Amino acid sequence: MTQTATPVVQARGIVKRYGHVTAIDHSDFELRAGEVLAVIGDNGAGKSSIVKAICGATVPDQGEILIEGKPVRFTSPIEARDMGIEIVYQNLALSPALSIADNMFTGREIRKEGWMGKYLRMLDKPAMEKFARDKLTELGLMTVQSIKQPVETLSGGQRQGVAVARAAAFATKFIIMDEPTAALGVKESRKVLELIQDVRARGIPIILISHNMPHVFEVADRIHIHRLGKRLCTIDPKDYTMSDAVAFMTGAKEPPAQDAA
Amino acid sequence: MSEPTNPARSGQEFEQDLNRSDARVAEFEVQNHTLLDRIQHLLHNNPTLVPVIVLVLSLVAFGLIAGGKFFSAFNLSLILQQVSIIGILAAAQSLIIITAGIDLSVAAIMVLMSVVMGNLAVFAGVPSGFAILVGLAGGVGAGLMNGWLITRVKLPPFITTLGTWSIFYALLLWLSGAQSIRGQDIDTEAPFLKFFGASFDVGGARITLSSILMIVVFVVLWYMLNKTAWGRHVYAIGDDKEAADLSGIRTDRTLLSVYGLSGFICALAGWASIGRVGSISPQSFYEGNLDSITAVVIGGISLFGGRGSIMGALFGALIVGVFRSGLRLSGVDVLWQVFAIGWLIIIAVAIDQWIRRVSA
């Protein structure tokens, strides 16, 4: 264990059972500062379960989770979000009929200053629209005509962009992305992968859940391979091939002896 | 930023032709926009436009058919007065329909609370102001009961409110002994109950306070829905509840507040109805819930939730009022009024479906 910095997330011995099914079986998890950590695993291996336990969507039965060295116990994703942990869900969690600006701020709207905001609880729409426009511009996504246009008028890639921009704008600790390229075409996937690298360049670590090996190997700094409810190993994509990774996660090949991971 | 230093990372091998690929997005729609498409888009962005157009057209049509007696200030203010109670109920109903729910119990809550107010003030000798407060609180309680069953017990709104409609209706028959409270008794014991029946004349128009209350209710709700975070959350829940949940909205709490507020508005309508009707009758407004849904639907608020402006319900209520008044003044049998309203509902829903199919 030769680590210089405290990991952003460190989870040890996480267990989650649903009746007779053990979704997480004494699993460990580690996310380091500034990295893109891909989480891969076969269907049913429990990769979503472990990530859900980290972001508060499920409460683990056993085990401890440390965020920046401090133990936490989230009971809902909202608590995790309040700590600066953002999640980009596979279904994006956007409200189609609301505008881009409204969507970026759902659940954390800005109110007007003074009595209008305090007593009439009036929203500061100009401020919200400006912030949304700035964030989208930063990520090179301001190809949309208007920040007020409803999300349902956007393409799949643009919607993904709005969801990523929302996460990047508010995340202070890290971002979890669940299959961000699964529903996208070739070109749009490329855009999302570039976005992931942009976000990492800002120093925000990312947990990337994906089935897409080429995408994983392209952007990940380390790969967490999940098998039968626990972490099998973490590998460096530079040292292994995609076939190795697939062999590990399906059990066709023994994992390498673990060092510091 | 995207690591141009490392060529191995700048894309997959099969993607290397991407930068030479055709950058055009499918654009055929742009040239192909017919007038109908444009209308569809316009209506999609402004869902209140349909009821406004229908309202203006029907005013013009009945003005031509029925002439001056329809277009008099007195008749127009009378329409406003006639729709005021159903209009307020429609405001409550709109809130719930925007969350993709439906409330069949709105009219039962309204009449039940008017009976509560009447019993307390007229028979129990409680000061009118206090009786009204109890009634309004009862409305909130009845709404919260609906909301609790829907959010905590996880029952569908339709079934929940079908059940509470019967429950509230039975309670109001029991509390009233199926007897009306006569207008004279209210006048002598608790005239304040009839507050919203008061009116004043402005140049031939007779404006009742209940009409003003209706407009105030709509303006306040419009503000809440469009200018506050709460309102945005109400729309987000109706649009996609799961997504709203995931994006950090406390959906159940918001839904509870919607049902509580809707119950309060129903009780307010109950108070206003005492002034409007002049007495308290347990048999009144038996179809009020359906009339409120009619106004909401004609007003262009989608029954699937998340779409439409609350002002649409006001226009919807006015359209129904204009049709009733216009057809009556044109000497058309009552049954054809019912017939016309039926078609209006169907056409309104058909237009809503068409608008929702809008292509991006």
Side-chain angles (χ1 to χ4, degrees):
Chain A
M1 294 270 164
T2 51
Q3 262 148 47
T4 46
T6 324
V8 181
V9 184
Q10 179 132 45
R12 290 190 216 106
I14 304 291
V15 176
K16 178 72 189 178
R17 294 190 188 88
Y18 297 99
H20 292 296
V21 181
T22 305
I24 313 174
D25 180 14
H26 298 91
S27 182
D28 299 335
F29 187 89
E30 188 188 272
L31 175 71
R32 294 177 190 163
E35 72 172 353
V36 174
L37 174 75
V39 179
I40 63 171
D42 218 346
N43 282 347
K47 55 185 187 303
S48 311
S49 299
I50 183 86
V51 174
K52 275 185 185 163
I54 288 159
C55 71
T58 59
V59 182
D61 300 328
Q62 283 175 41
E64 59 167 358
I65 297 169
L66 306 173
I67 295 200
E68 291 179 339
K70 290 184 207 70
V72 292
R73 194 172 165 78
F74 299 131
T75 53
S76 81
I78 295 173
E79 286 173 30
R81 192 171 96 160
D82 291 343
M83 253 190 94
I85 298 166
E86 287 291 320
I87 307 161
V88 180
Y89 292 94
Q90 191 170 359
N91 63 7
L92 300 182
L94 299 173
S95 298
L98 296 187
S99 73
I100 297 171
D102 280 340
N103 264 293
M104 284 195 64
F105 281 93
T106 27
R108 51 187 149 212
E109 289 82 355
I110 306 175
R111 272 193 231 146
K112 273 222 163 81
E113 286 180 18
W115 65 275
M116 295 274 273
K118 200 167 176 194
Y119 300 108
L120 299 180
R121 308 178 79 83
M122 190 190 250
L123 291 174
D124 194 346
K125 292 209 173 186
M128 285 163 52
E129 282 159 12
K130 180 178 183 309
F131 182 90
R133 199 177 299 117
D134 290 349
K135 287 296 163 189
L136 287 176
T137 313
E138 270 177 43
L139 292 170
L141 291 167
M142 239 353 252
T143 52
V144 295
Q145 297 145 5
S146 157
I147 207 78
K148 289 181 192 168
Q149 88 188 72
V151 162
E152 66 194 345
T153 61
L154 301 178
S155 74
Q158 287 175 320
R159 289 184 205 196
Q160 189 84 43
V162 171
V164 173
R166 172 167 74 176
F170 294 102
T172 53
K173 297 275 193 295
F174 60 93
I175 299 175
I176 298 172
M177 293 192 193
D178 190 1
E179 300 280 5
T181 55
L184 300 182
V186 180
K187 231 185 282 184
E188 294 181 316
S189 297
R190 173 99 337 258
K191 184 84 198 157
V192 169
L193 294 176
E194 280 166 16
L195 273 178
I196 290 174
Q197 285 164 334
D198 281 354
V199 171
R200 173 179 50 193
R202 291 150 186 267
I204 301 169
I206 295 170
I207 299 173
L208 170 71
I209 306 173
S210 182
H211 265 108
N212 188 312
M213 288 300 147
H215 291 167
V216 164
F217 271 74
E218 183 184 337
V219 297
D221 297 302
R222 290 189 310 138
I223 300 175
H224 166 130
I225 300 179
H226 215 73
R227 179 166 154 73
L228 302 176
K230 64 176 109 185
R231 181 172 71 179
L232 183 77
C233 58
T234 38
I235 60 170
D236 187 320
K238 287 195 275 298
D239 301 338
Y240 293 91
T241 64
M242 291 184 209
S243 331
D244 292 333
V246 172
F248 294 146
M249 80 185 210
T250 53
K253 199 167 163 183
E254 281 301 305
Q258 282 299 288
D259 40 288
Chain B
M1 290 226 201
S2 55
E3 307 204 13
T5 46
N6 186 350
R9 286 206 158 182
S10 63
Q12 301 298 320
E13 201 189 305
F14 64 88
E15 289 174 322
Q16 278 177 4
D17 284 335
L18 264 188
N19 47 6
R20 283 190 281 121
S21 69
D22 189 349
R24 279 178 305 175
V25 184
E27 278 169 1
F28 45 88
E29 289 170 41
V30 181
Q31 294 103 28
N32 244 358
H33 272 183
T34 62
L35 183 62
L36 206 60
D37 284 340
R38 282 169 206 276
I39 293 173
Q40 196 181 17
H41 269 270
L42 187 67
L43 297 180
H44 187 251
N45 294 334
N46 307 285
T48 322
L49 217 51
V50 180
V52 170
I53 293 168
V54 173
L55 184 59
V56 171
L57 286 182
S58 54
L59 278 172
V60 171
F62 287 119
L64 291 175
I65 299 166
K69 50 185 194 281
F70 176 80
F71 244 133
S72 65
F74 179 78
N75 188 52
L76 294 180
S77 63
L78 185 67
I79 294 174
L80 207 58
Q81 190 180 328
Q82 284 164 339
V83 303
S84 60
I85 304 304
I86 292 301
I88 297 170
L89 276 189
Q93 186 72 261
S94 305
L95 270 181
I96 292 185
I97 288 183
I98 289 172
T99 67
I102 194 146
D103 192 344
L104 300 176
S105 69
V106 282
I109 296 176
M110 169 179 91
V111 182
L112 174 60
M113 293 313 150
S114 69
V115 169
V116 167
M117 291 173 193
N119 275 6
L120 285 175
V122 177
F123 298 133
V126 172
S128 307
F130 185 71
I132 289 162
L133 282 180
V134 171
L136 293 176
V140 174
L144 287 177
M145 177 177 163
N146 280 335
W148 181 79
L149 289 168
I150 289 160
T151 57
R152 299 281 181 257
V153 191
K154 312 271 180 213
L155 302 177
F158 184 90
I159 300 299
T160 305
T161 55
L162 184 65
T164 52
W165 172 16
S166 288
I167 294 167
F168 297 147
Y169 188 67
L171 281 178
L172 81 89
L173 287 180
W174 172 63
L175 281 180
S176 62
Q179 299 291 313
S180 297
I181 302 175
R182 291 182 307 155
Q184 300 96 303
D185 294 340
I186 300 172
D187 285 336
T188 52
E189 296 291 326
F192 188 52
L193 290 184
K194 284 192 174 180
F195 175 73
F196 285 107
S199 62
F200 55 91
D201 291 340
V202 189
R206 172 157 295 171
I207 309 290
T208 55
L209 294 185
S210 64
S211 309
I212 292 175
L213 175 70
M214 170 179 75
I215 290 169
V216 168
V217 165
F218 273 102
V219 169
V220 169
L221 286 181
W222 178 86
Y223 176 86
M224 290 173 73
L225 284 169
N226 291 288
K227 299 290 172 192
T228 72
W230 177 85
R232 301 286 84 194
H233 295 176
V234 170
Y235 274 96
I237 290 170
D239 212 357
D240 185 339
K241 182 165 184 285
E242 208 184 331
D245 245 325
L246 293 176
S247 53
I249 296 172
R250 295 174 201 267
T251 51
D252 281 352
R253 200 190 290 180
T254 308
L255 274 177
L256 261 183
S257 70
V258 165
Y259 279 91
L261 177 59
S262 156
F264 174 80
I265 297 169
C266 292
L268 207 54
W271 180 15
S273 76
I274 301 172
R276 166 89 188 94
V277 179
S279 61
I280 300 172
S281 162
Q283 316 292 343
S284 60
F285 295 101
Y286 186 70
E287 288 177 349
N289 50 7
L290 297 180
D291 291 341
S292 71
I293 296 170
T294 303
V296 172
V297 169
I298 293 178
I301 297 175
S302 172
L303 284 173
F304 303 98
R307 274 149 232 265
S309 164
I310 182 100
M311 284 303 170
L314 174 59
F315 299 128
L318 288 173
I319 290 169
V320 173
V322 165
F323 263 71
R324 292 227 164 108
S325 167
L327 290 169
R328 185 167 38 79
L329 290 179
S330 319
V332 178
D333 197 310
V334 178
L335 75 91
W336 295 113
Q337 297 174 26
V338 181
F339 183 86
I341 304 293
W343 277 111
L344 267 183
I345 296 174
I346 289 170
I347 293 167
V349 175
I351 291 176
D352 176 47
Q353 291 284 35
W354 178 64
I355 294 172
R356 287 169 66 88
R357 277 201 303 271
V358 72
S359 44

